[in-house]
Each structure stands twice: as C-alpha cells, then as structure tokens.
C-alpha cells in the first residue's frame, strides 16, 4: 500500500432507528414486528446486577435469503444456568444449540446453559435489520435472585439495544468484519440498491454508528481481504478493506450514542456505461467515534464489493 493513500483514510474521516424495543416494565418484550415472547422478567426478579450479554452474528451484512449463525452468551452471578430470548425485525430465526421457537420468538430450550447458538435467514427484500436480545444468569435456586438484562451497554436499560444487520441487493457482496465501536456497538455497511449501470439513486448505507458524527465512504478499485490492520495508525482492532482512491463525506443522524443510533446514506450515482457491466468497485464506511477509546477515534465497517449489473 502506498503511504499517500493512507491519508485518504485519515484526513477525510477526522474532519433513525425505531426505539420500539423490548420493554422491561411489563415483563414482556416486543420488537417492531408482531412477534413477542415472554422475557426473563415475566417470571424472574429484575435485578440487573453484574449481567453482561454478548451477541455475535457470524455475518452482519449478507445477501438476500442467505443464512448465518448467531451466538449469544451471558455472564453474571455465580452459577451455570440461564436463559435468553431473541426477536428480529425481518427474516427468520431458527433454533440451534440450547434454543427453540416459542410463541413466534426464539428462546432457550432448557436452563442448563449460558451460551446459545441459532440460525438466521435473511429476508428476500434488502435493507437494515434489527436483532433484539435479552438474557439471564440464574443462580439455580428458583425464580428469585436471578439477574437478567437486555443486550446493550447499560445492564439496567429498559430497552434492548438492537444488533444491526443489513441485507444487500443483488450485485452487492459483503466481506471482512466491522470493528467494535463505542458502547460495544458494531456498525454495518450495505446497499439496498442494485448497482445497475445508470442507476442514479445507488447508495451505500451505514447503520449502528456513533450519532451526529462525521463519516466517510471509501471507494477503491482493489479489495484487501484479509484487511490491513490499522493499529499502526491508532485505530486498534480495525482493518482497512479497500485501497482508497476516492472518498464521499457525510454525517450520521442524531440519536442515542449508547444505542448506536447514528446512520448515514452515501449517494453513489452510477454512470450509464454498459461496458462497465461485470466490473467491480469496493467500498468501506467509517465514522469519527469519539467514545471508541482509540488513539485515533475511528470505527470502520465491513467491506462491500459492488459489481455493475
């Protein structure tokens, strides 16, 4: 990589999601879809002390109707038993290890585990998807004295912070992995527009980012996969997935920083040149993330390969 191209990453960069998430108060959680499942609070005490909920989709940006796996873990007070429940705004959850489908939502199949895996199949329609999760660490003595929390940076929150995923249109394929941003949120990049030549409305979107912050979209003709570790620039834990030759500037929307409610759309109008059909460009988004804890306060998304149709 040529040194002057690294500046294209750092110089431009350093320059609304629904909150109808799961409710702690009623003992039930309900997402922006019609499905609902009893949460831990319908039977167990609502003591949030010492609980951490970890949610990790193997892929966050994926093709229409594609399948991936999701891992949920909970840690908390002494003991080895627990429970969880998940719901999603689009697509289908399928049971896996220690999980089952109940009342239209996914939950634990027994209380003998604190780690659960299950499947997710993306819908056929492209666009952003929210995954909501609640989990409990129980002490094995019954329904009292257990600790549970929604996924998110605040274990006492009354709403679940959604894990952002994105379903891409035909001609757009994700690669690489986003790095973790502030408050444990992981931004995701994708496109719901088919990259047909002459598509003046084509755009790349970033969801789950720090709100009200400068953002950039990097365009490259070469993809780095695996990516280039940016620790040497002070962007620890993040990787560069494109050889940037151009950038597009933007600003994320407002909202809650702990919930990662910033999003931005980068217009990338495509020329009407038929000879470009079958050729590809590569994209990656980034955001100035002042609470990321990094020496250079940036958080980067996955990469995207866009092939002209």
């Amino acid at each position: 990589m040529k040194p002057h191209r690294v500046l294209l990453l750092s110089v431009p960069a350093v320059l609304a999601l629904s909150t109808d998430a799961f409710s702690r108060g009623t003992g039930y959680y309900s997402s922006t879809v019609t499905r609902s499942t009893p949460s831990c609070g319908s039977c167990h005490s609502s003591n949030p002390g010492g609980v951490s909920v970890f949610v990790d989709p193997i892929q966050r940006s994926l093709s229409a109707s594609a399948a991936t796996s999701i891992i949920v873990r909970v840690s908390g007070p002494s003991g080895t038993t627990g429970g969880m429940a998940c719901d999603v705004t689009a697509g289908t959850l399928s049971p896996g290890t220690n999980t089952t489908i109940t009342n239209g939502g996914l939950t634990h199949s027994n209380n003998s585990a604190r780690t659960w895996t299950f499947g997710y199949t993306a819908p056929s329609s492209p666009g952003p998807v929210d995954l909501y999760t609640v989990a409990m660490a129980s002490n094995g003595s019954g329904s009292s004295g257990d600790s549970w929390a929604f996924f998110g940076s605040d274990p006492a929150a009354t709403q679940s912070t959604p894990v952002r995923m994105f379903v891409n249109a035909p001609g757009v394929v994700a690669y690489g992995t986003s790095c973790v941003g502030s408050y444990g949120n992981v931004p995701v990049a994708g496109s719901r527009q088919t990259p047909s030549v002459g598509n003046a409305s084509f755009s790349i979107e970033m969801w789950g980012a720090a709100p009200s912050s400068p953002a950039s979209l990097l365009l490259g003709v070469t993809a780095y996969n695996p990516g280039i570790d940016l620790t040497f620039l002070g962007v620890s834990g993040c990787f560069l997935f494109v050889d940037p030759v151009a950038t597009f500037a933007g600003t994320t929307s407002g909202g809650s920083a702990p919930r990662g409610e910033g999003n931005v759309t980068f217009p990338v109008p495509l020329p009407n040149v038929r000879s470009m059909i079958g050729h590809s460009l590569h994209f990656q988004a980034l955001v100035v993330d002042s609470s990321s804890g990094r020496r250079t306060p940036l958080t980067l998304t996955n990469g995207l390969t866009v092939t002209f149709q």
Side-chain angles (χ1 to χ4, degrees):
M1 182 178 67
K2 297 179 180 179
H4 71 276
R5 288 191 172 177
V6 173
L7 296 177
L8 289 173
L9 168 68
S10 56
V11 173
V14 178
L15 293 176
L17 289 170
S18 171
T19 59
D20 292 334
F22 308 154
S23 168
R24 178 185 292 271
T26 63
Y28 286 81
Y29 69 81
S30 57
S31 70
T32 52
V33 294
T34 58
R35 294 189 294 270
S36 64
T37 303
S39 74
C40 307
S42 62
C43 298
H44 299 263
S45 58
S46 300
N47 172 21
V51 176
S52 296
V53 182
F54 171 87
V55 182
D56 184 23
I58 303 304
Q59 291 179 279
R60 296 173 187 263
S61 183
L62 59 167
S63 302
S65 303
T68 190
S69 297
I70 298 172
I71 301 170
V72 174
R73 292 199 301 266
V74 65
S75 63
S78 60
T80 59
T81 59
M84 57 82 70
C86 288
D87 209 347
V88 69
T89 56
T92 305
L93 299 175
S94 56
T97 304
N98 300 319
T99 54
T100 187
I101 298 293
T102 302
N103 297 331
L106 186 134
T107 187
H108 58 283
S109 58
N110 57 67
N111 66 352
S112 64
R114 290 189 175 182
T115 299
W116 306 270
T117 61
F118 52 94
Y120 172 71
T121 301
S124 57
S125 300
V129 174
D130 291 341
L131 172 72
Y132 297 100
T133 306
V134 61
M136 175 189 65
S138 72
N139 58 17
S141 63
S143 61
S144 62
D146 298 327
S147 297
W148 62 275
F150 295 111
F151 173 75
S153 60
D154 180 8
T158 58
Q159 292 181 321
S160 174
T161 297
V163 171
R164 272 72 179 207
M165 303 173 72
F166 202 99
V167 180
N168 294 301
V172 181
V173 176
Y175 66 98
T177 304
S178 305
C179 52
V180 180
S182 56
Y183 302 98
N185 295 307
V186 180
V188 62
S191 178
R192 68 182 88 193
Q193 296 284 333
T194 300
S196 304
V197 293
N199 184 356
S201 64
F202 183 77
S203 61
I204 302 291
E205 301 175 43
M206 174 170 58
W207 290 80
S212 305
S213 301
S216 293
L217 178 69
L218 310 178
L219 181 156
V221 295
T222 301
Y224 297 140
N225 190 15
I228 296 174
D229 189 341
L230 296 178
T231 299
F232 74 101
L233 287 178
V235 195
S236 57
C238 297
F239 292 83
L240 180 65
F241 295 121
V242 304
D243 183 16
V245 297
T247 60
F248 301 81
T251 302
T252 58
S253 62
S256 167
R259 290 175 56 81
E261 291 183 339
N263 64 81
V264 59
T265 298
F266 299 97
V268 188
L270 303 181
N272 191 11
V273 180
R274 294 193 59 80
S275 61
M276 297 180 67
I277 294 176
H279 293 275
S280 299
L281 293 174
H282 311 281
F283 295 89
Q284 184 177 15
L286 58 85
V287 62
V288 176
D289 195 349
S290 58
S291 298
S292 65
R294 298 186 175 96
R295 178 165 56 86
T296 303
L298 301 177
T299 298
L300 286 78
T301 69
N302 54 280
L304 293 171
T305 295
V306 173
T307 303
F308 291 93
Q309 307 294 296

